[in-house]
Amino acid sequence: MKLSKYLLPVLKETPSEAEIISHTLMLRSGMISQSSSGIYSWLPIGLRVLKKIENIVRDEQNNAGVNEILMPTIQPADIWNESGRYEDYGKEMLRINDRHDRQMLYGPTNEEQVTDIFRRSIKSYKELPQLLYHIQWKFRDELRPRFGVMRGREFLMKDAYSFDIDEMKSEDSYNRFFICYLKTFARMGLKAIPMAADTGPIGGDLSHEFVILSKTGESDIYFDQRILQEDESINEIDYEGDLKKPVEKFKSYYSVSDDKYNESEFNKNVDKQNQMQSRGIEVGHIFSFGTKYSTSMKANVLDFDGKEKSVYMGSYGIGISRLVGAIIETSHDEKGIIWPDVVAPFLFGIINLSPKDEIVSSNAEKIYNYISDKYETIYDDKKDNAGVKFSRMDLIGIPHQIIIGNKSKSDNEIEYKNRRTGNSEFINIDKIDEFIKRFPSYSAI
RNA sequence: CGGGGCGUAGCGCAGUCUGGUAGCGCAUCUGGUUUGGGACCAGAGGGUCGCAAGUUCGAAUCUUGCCGCCCCGACCA
């Protein structure tokens, strides 16, 4: 992609409304544009990151054997009346009347909708379990939206739902998602810690939040640091194998957020040298809520004995748009964002320092064509000053940068700069083929 | 929802107290000089001062109402 043909409205100054670093950087790097409080447009570079994250989440759901569906954003009030939540949900739910004055709502979540789908189509225990997910925009009319996309009113979520014949089978599904979540966050380069959580207004008793460690997170968390080492072996866990054992292993470590924290319990459960305190951002939540919705909404199947039974359900969310902000919170410096390779809007950025020099430009163009053939690449062909180009490329966080200028012409070399380390090295133009082989291709996603 | 703050050019702000018809920096456009870390010179364009009503000869400025946005708290992916 040539920058001269791309919408990238970077800001030099910090917009006055931004409070935390990820919000500031998303606005400054031209990723998002605020539409109204807690509601944002995603501009080209921001959308690319959002899609990267979405696709990793999707891929990991698919790997775990979950089937993708897509439910609507607008739902009828009827099914919410069935579950009783139309009254319970309160002002966070955006209520709408259609032209026939029928009560509708913009979905804050989808338990009712998915339960309705399930009960229309599944009638026998033989068809269980059913594992379904969708990735959709939701709306919760928060009292106070803040922190940009970290706590917007409109947000993109992956929601999954499980349907099982009994509590034991339901726990198998729960464990499947538990592992799936650890794999998903690890793949994005995040340290995610599962924490026992309250089930909240939705009810139930089996619930974990997944929190990523970040100095600027919203809540204080206390945990056994050995859980971090456990995280490193997560890729080896096979869904076909026993999932209960690794999940129990994770659950055995102490990890709680400040509202559940108790000092004496912490001391009792964790040796002093393993005690850790950090700030964290909640990016995922899984919980099992039994027959809460299946009973009220009559989502029944026939069991092997011919009797009708309410199915056991669970629900599993990942805040995809929130993850964009969360990753920035964990990965930035004073110059701007530092994207992990797997979610970067472009893996490579090429800076042409002398766009008016024909020889330099034709070299840069060749290198751009060569690299962009294999990797997503943004090519800064604009006629700005060198400093502007360097700082812009750093601000938007492109992990691998190629710098081409007059020096390249005289020395037949290009400079490669790593955004994260800041280290540079010079590569002979004739050996670019060898250089490029160092980088794995992420085009598979 | 309780408390606080802000709304003036695309962005960041001054001017409001003490009323006299709007300014600075950055950005943008033109010409020129620059070109390895947010350049320089010269010129130009861009604002019914959030909206409405009121007071006044005259309102960005005073009064009232409304709208929007932000921050702290309670709540949440």
Side-chain angles (χ1 to χ4, degrees):
Chain A
M1 181 59 64
K2 288 185 178 177
L3 196 54
S4 61
K5 296 181 169 59
Y6 203 62
L7 178 66
L8 184 67
V10 298
L11 304 173
K12 200 178 203 171
E13 286 170 287
T14 302
S16 57
E17 73 262 24
E19 182 66 12
I20 59 166
I21 190 74
S22 61
H23 190 192
T24 298
L25 288 175
M26 285 181 78
L27 290 168
R28 285 195 53 211
S29 63
M31 291 177 69
I32 53 170
S33 169
Q34 180 165 337
S35 168
S36 64
S37 182
I39 302 177
Y40 296 86
S41 294
W42 292 77
L43 305 185
I45 211 168
L47 184 61
R48 276 180 166 261
V49 176
L50 186 70
K51 291 282 180 196
K52 288 278 172 70
I53 295 170
E54 179 182 329
N55 284 334
I56 290 173
V57 171
R58 174 176 287 117
D59 195 48
E60 290 298 329
Q61 292 290 299
N62 293 342
N63 288 347
V66 191
N67 297 139
E68 183 169 13
I69 60 174
L70 183 60
M71 293 180 274
T73 54
I74 306 289
Q75 304 178 27
D78 304 7
I79 52 177
W80 286 70
N81 277 321
E82 279 191 64
S83 72
R85 285 208 295 179
Y86 193 67
E87 292 302 321
D88 293 348
Y89 217 91
K91 288 191 169 181
E92 281 200 346
M93 182 150 75
L94 180 64
R95 293 152 207 263
I96 311 163
N97 284 2
D98 70 11
R99 66 193 299 162
H100 305 294
D101 215 28
R102 188 171 178 219
Q103 294 179 312
M104 311 291 283
L105 56 99
Y106 196 113
T109 181
N110 292 75
E111 280 82 7
E112 285 80 359
Q113 191 79 71
V114 78
T115 304
D116 184 51
I117 291 168
F118 176 87
R119 69 181 173 182
R120 288 166 189 251
S121 39
I122 301 295
K123 301 293 174 193
S124 161
Y125 76 97
K126 291 179 188 169
E127 297 174 279
L128 299 183
Q130 285 290 330
L131 305 176
L132 303 170
Y133 77 97
H134 86 329
I135 294 172
Q136 180 62 289
W137 290 91
K138 307 194 164 202
F139 190 88
R140 289 183 195 165
D141 201 355
E142 296 281 346
L143 234 42
R144 179 146 95 89
R146 63 183 116 173
F147 306 148
V149 300
M150 296 269 283
R151 175 123 179 248
R153 291 195 290 175
E154 189 180 58
F155 53 96
L156 186 62
M157 280 216 28
K158 185 283 300 178
D159 265 305
Y161 302 92
S162 64
F163 301 86
D164 285 281
I165 192 66
D166 59 28
E167 197 169 355
M168 230 173 72
K169 292 282 186 193
S170 182
E171 196 174 333
D172 290 345
S173 294
Y174 185 88
N175 290 341
R176 179 171 289 261
F177 282 102
F178 194 108
I179 296 301
C180 175
Y181 274 33
L182 291 170
K183 285 176 185 276
T184 303
F185 297 126
R187 190 161 151 189
M188 293 174 200
L190 297 169
K191 287 281 183 197
I193 298 180
M195 296 191 329
D198 288 325
T199 50
I202 210 150
D205 55 0
L206 196 48
S207 174
H208 282 84
E209 285 176 355
F210 288 78
V211 172
I212 61 169
L213 300 182
S214 158
K215 281 183 225 104
T216 53
E218 327 137 275
S219 53
D220 281 304
I221 56 174
Y222 302 82
F223 61 99
D224 188 331
Q225 66 163 357
R226 287 176 298 171
I227 202 170
L228 294 173
Q229 290 142 28
E230 214 60 50
D231 202 41
E232 281 157 21
S233 58
I234 192 68
N235 284 328
E236 290 150 29
I237 299 172
D238 184 348
Y239 288 112
E240 300 302 312
D242 179 20
L243 299 180
K244 194 178 174 71
K245 205 182 281 174
V247 169
E248 291 301 326
K249 181 88 181 159
F250 274 99
K251 285 191 198 168
S252 68
Y253 294 108
Y254 185 90
S255 70
V256 297
S257 59
D258 49 359
D259 51 325
K260 279 196 156 184
Y261 175 67
N262 176 298
E263 197 181 340
S264 62
E265 247 177 63
F266 196 33
N267 289 330
K268 201 175 80 188
N269 288 294
V270 188
D271 293 339
K272 267 274 182 279
Q273 75 267 18
N274 286 324
Q275 290 186 357
M276 263 188 83
Q277 184 194 347
S278 173
R279 294 189 77 77
I281 301 168
E282 187 190 343
V283 289
H285 196 166
I286 61 177
F287 46 92
S288 183
F289 44 74
T291 60
K292 181 180 161 99
Y293 298 97
S294 54
T295 304
S296 57
M297 294 183 68
K298 300 185 177 59
N300 305 324
V301 295
L302 290 179
D303 204 350
F304 72 97
D305 56 7
K307 296 208 170 97
E308 277 207 338
K309 288 185 68 178
S310 296
V311 288
Y312 277 73
M313 295 173 58
S315 146
Y316 315 88
I318 291 180
I320 291 177
S321 48
R322 165 177 279 201
L323 267 168
V324 179
I327 291 171
I328 295 172
E329 290 293 329
T330 65
S331 187
H332 66 268
D333 62 13
E334 66 287 344
K335 290 176 183 167
I337 302 167
I338 304 173
W339 289 117
D341 287 4
V342 287
V343 297
F346 296 95
L347 191 66
F348 277 91
I350 297 173
I351 293 177
N352 179 357
L353 288 178
S354 310
K356 286 178 188 164
D357 185 308
E358 279 181 29
I359 296 171
V360 172
S361 292
S362 99
N363 272 341
E365 188 94 9
K366 271 184 215 151
I367 289 163
Y368 164 61
N369 286 333
Y370 184 74
I371 296 179
S372 64
D373 195 43
K374 296 175 174 60
Y375 304 101
E376 290 172 312
T377 305
I378 184 84
Y379 170 38
D380 187 347
D381 58 338
K382 293 180 81 171
K383 293 181 171 48
D384 294 310
N385 279 310
V388 174
K389 295 186 171 211
F390 287 131
S391 46
R392 179 167 52 211
M393 201 61 93
D394 286 345
L395 173 66
I396 67 174
I398 304 302
H400 304 288
Q401 303 176 10
I402 304 286
I403 297 147
I404 304 166
N406 278 323
K407 277 188 201 164
S408 316
K409 187 165 57 174
S410 47
D411 305 344
N412 199 39
E413 279 182 342
I414 54 170
E415 180 183 344
Y416 161 70
K417 191 186 89 178
N418 184 290
R419 172 69 179 89
R420 189 171 292 275
T421 63
N423 294 339
S424 280
E425 60 182 290
F426 290 87
I427 311 291
N428 189 297
I429 291 179
D430 302 326
K431 292 186 176 161
I432 192 160
D433 197 35
E434 222 168 282
F435 163 76
I436 220 75
K437 283 181 186 153
R438 285 194 219 167
F439 300 91
S441 177
Y442 292 103
S443 57
I445 295 172

